[in-house]
Amino acid sequence: NCTAYALALYVYSVLNRRREEVHAANRELLALHETKDRFLSIVSHDLRTPITSIKAYGEILGEEVADEHKQMSRVIVDEADRLHRLVTDLLDLDKMEAGKMEWKLTRQDLRPVLEKAAAVFSAAAQDKGITLAKDIAADLPGAAIDADRFAQLVANLLSNAIKFTPEGGT
């Protein structure tokens, strides 16, 4: 009987120590998560401010420069938009992981979003020497989407397609 009691005390002390270790590890993980959140917040703010300035000055330059330089200005603006999307993607990924992503679903015609994305990325495709071909079905049905997130998705897909398509490709 004493042996069973001693064994039970030993098991209890081991389990109690393990529980304390798990709690300590959990506190450390929570602190690291808070540090990551603060870091993402600071980085996103610190990146968005200069990106906004770069885009604004690129747009102003595009209005002021000779025609042969307008394309360069457009590249500056497009790349500033791309950097802004990357920062937004980073923050959105964090929100998704935390289960805090908010979706604003409305019934939308998909064609305008696809047309706009193709127009935005046509210069990047042309600069790389590839053809951006679009074949959007005439009877494309609408869908309940978050328009901003859907546009972001299409932009990411086109950006990757341009990035990984060899020169001369379509």
Side-chain angles (χ1 to χ4, degrees), residues 62 64-72:
E64 302 293 326
V65 296
D67 286 342
E68 63 267 13
H69 296 113
K70 286 193 185 299
Q71 180 60 29
M72 290 180 209

Side-chain angles (χ1 to χ4, degrees), residues 85 113 117 145-156:
R85 282 192 306 275
V113 178
I145 60 169
D146 182 316
D148 292 336
R149 303 287 180 235
F150 184 73
Q152 185 179 0
L153 168 81
V154 173
N156 288 343

Side-chain angles (χ1 to χ4, degrees), residues 109 111 114-115 134-141:
D109 182 8
R111 176 177 290 282
L114 297 172
E115 294 280 354
K134 59 182 178 174
D135 184 11
I136 304 170
D139 60 347
L140 184 67

Side-chain angles (χ1 to χ4, degrees), residues 41-112:
S41 177
I42 291 166
V43 166
S44 67
H45 180 278
D46 287 352
L47 287 175
R48 284 183 174 176
T49 301
I51 290 169
T52 301
S53 296
I54 291 167
K55 181 179 178 182
Y57 282 112
E59 289 171 343
I60 292 168
L61 280 173
E63 296 169 3
E64 302 293 326
V65 296
D67 286 342
E68 63 267 13
H69 296 113
K70 286 193 185 299
Q71 180 60 29
M72 290 180 209
S73 173
R74 186 73 237 151
V75 169
I76 292 169
V77 172
D78 289 345
E79 291 302 302
D81 283 340
R82 188 167 74 86
L83 283 172
H84 189 270
R85 282 192 306 275
L86 289 171
V87 170
T88 301
D89 289 350
L90 182 66
L91 294 173
D92 286 349
L93 181 61
D94 190 53
K95 285 180 191 174
M96 281 188 234
E97 287 176 350
K100 295 179 181 177
M101 180 63 101
E102 294 181 19
W103 303 94
K104 299 173 193 150
L105 300 178
T106 56
R107 187 104 184 129
Q108 300 276 328
D109 182 8
L110 302 179
R111 176 177 290 282

